[in-house]
Amino acid sequence: MLYHLLYPLHTTISAFNIFRYITFRTIYASLTAFLICVLLGPWVIRKLSKMQIGQYIREDGPQDHVKKAGTPTMGGILIIFSLIVSTLLWSNLTNYYIWIVLIITTGYAIIGFVDDYLMQVKKKSKGLSVRIKLLMQVILAIVAGVLIYLHPDFNTRVTIPFFKNISPDIGWVYIIFGVFVIVGTSNAVNLTDGLDGLAIGPVIIVSVTYMVFSYVSGHVKIADYLQINYVSGSGELAIFCGSLAGAGIGFLWFNTYPAQIFMGDVGSLPLGGSLGMVAVITKQEILLVLVGGLFVVEALSVIFQVGFFKMTKGRRIFRMAPLHHHFELKGWPEPKVIVRFWIIAIALALIAMSTLKIR
Ligand code: 57M
């Protein structure tokens, strides 16, 4: 919005020319989202506490979690609000991709909200049924997939990390591939969200990484120089990713151990879904497995644990899945698990960035 209001003034006052630059708008979008989140945080925490929107804790989990009962949840409302406001303020609103990402963010936030709301009304640890939740996620992802497929400038090539000459064009199958990336990431982030700051830390790291990828893939000269897929218009997504990182850091202020608030599904589902969407649009889809490797490992730990548990009628690979519970039960203090997982996420993001050169 500021871009549309202030940039045209550059003809009379040249200083307003600065609003043309994606880099400038990305920095201020991050700061705006951060400030909204930090300033509104205490008020949101008070409101949620007053409405008694507190977390119900499963009794079969690690005993350390019992003391977390009653911590306000649904803090995702704060993250998503800051993210959307900042994106609307700083991005070019005529950009097609910005709207697609906002559709996924809002849609998944609504699914998460309904899930959390049912949990609060029923006062149970389960909200929407897994099937309904998944079906709604898939439908929304198909809508987004079709919308990008229909965009005349969007190609259906898939980028294979480390191989610059291999980029297969998979045609309409790209829609199914995109749905898999979006829904998979959304659920993987949701599974990771089980310790204070454990999910939001890597979400910030992945957002910053994709902020860079959005910028370079949307810049015709840099994309050509780095020999990556050029996606006209994807540069504006740097503003979305910057806002996401800013909102995430603002939320971490309150979610860091010992957490004053949890994000709930209203946060975890849209955060994962929107990162998946950005990865698809910037044509760095498969790379998300590496950038978001921590989410992948957490999700795989659940798949293997549940599979093994069923096959062997009750035996386990890990002490408990998702993986963070395994380390908790081994006796690692919660902050140690969290910070070590963040360190791994940073290392993975750096390796992913290196693919811009190592190809
Ligand atoms: C949601 N939710 C957290 C909070 C957060 C198939 C199965 C493995 C699924 C999995 C599952 O349901 N995962 C998705 C995980 C919950 O956090 C809430 O949920 C929101 C995210 N959706 O924002 O509102 C609890 O996590 C803790 N927490 C924090 N700090 C935070 O910042 O400490 C969350 C955020 C909170 C709080 O305690 O209550 C969750 O973990 O439930 N299920 C599981 O994860 C369960 N695993 C399991 O049953 N494993 C089995 C196998 C055979 C399936 C096994 O390994 O034996 C565990 N979940 C819990 N207890 N709570 C089991 C034990």
Side-chain angles (χ1 to χ4, degrees), residues 55-58 60-61 65 68 73 190-191 193-197 255 262-265 268 302 305-306 309 316 320-322 325:
Q55 185 70 46
Y56 169 93
I57 308 281
R58 279 173 55 161
D60 54 353
H65 284 249
K68 293 175 184 245
T73 184
N190 186 33
L191 287 171
D193 191 26
L195 297 180
D196 300 351
N255 182 233
F262 299 153
M263 67 170 83
D265 282 15
S268 58
V302 169
Q305 177 92 330
V306 175
F309 188 84
R316 290 179 166 83
M320 191 182 280
H325 287 318

Side-chain angles (χ1 to χ4, degrees), residues 207-251:
S207 317
V208 172
T209 311
Y210 273 95
M211 186 174 86
V212 175
F213 280 116
S214 304
Y215 185 75
V216 297
S217 64
H219 194 294
V220 71
K221 283 191 187 138
I222 303 179
D224 181 52
Y225 169 70
L226 293 170
Q227 299 188 9
I228 55 171
N229 266 310
Y230 165 63
V231 186
S232 167
S234 70
E236 283 293 318
L237 290 182
I239 290 151
F240 177 86
C241 293
S243 304
L244 182 46
I249 297 170
F251 179 72

Side-chain angles (χ1 to χ4, degrees), residues 145-219:
V146 171
L147 284 175
I148 52 161
Y149 182 75
L150 293 177
H151 190 281
D153 285 346
F154 192 80
N155 70 61
T156 44
R157 290 186 177 282
V158 178
T159 306
I160 314 287
F162 300 106
F163 295 94
K164 64 177 167 229
N165 295 324
I166 309 174
S167 186
D169 191 339
I170 57 173
W172 64 267
V173 179
Y174 196 92
I175 299 176
I176 301 172
F177 173 65
V179 169
F180 183 75
V181 174
I182 297 163
V183 176
T185 317
S186 175
N187 288 308
V189 172
N190 186 33
L191 287 171
T192 308
D193 191 26
L195 297 180
D196 300 351
L198 186 70
I200 200 68
V203 162
I204 296 165
I205 295 160
V206 176
S207 317
V208 172
T209 311
Y210 273 95
M211 186 174 86
V212 175
F213 280 116
S214 304
Y215 185 75
V216 297
S217 64
H219 194 294

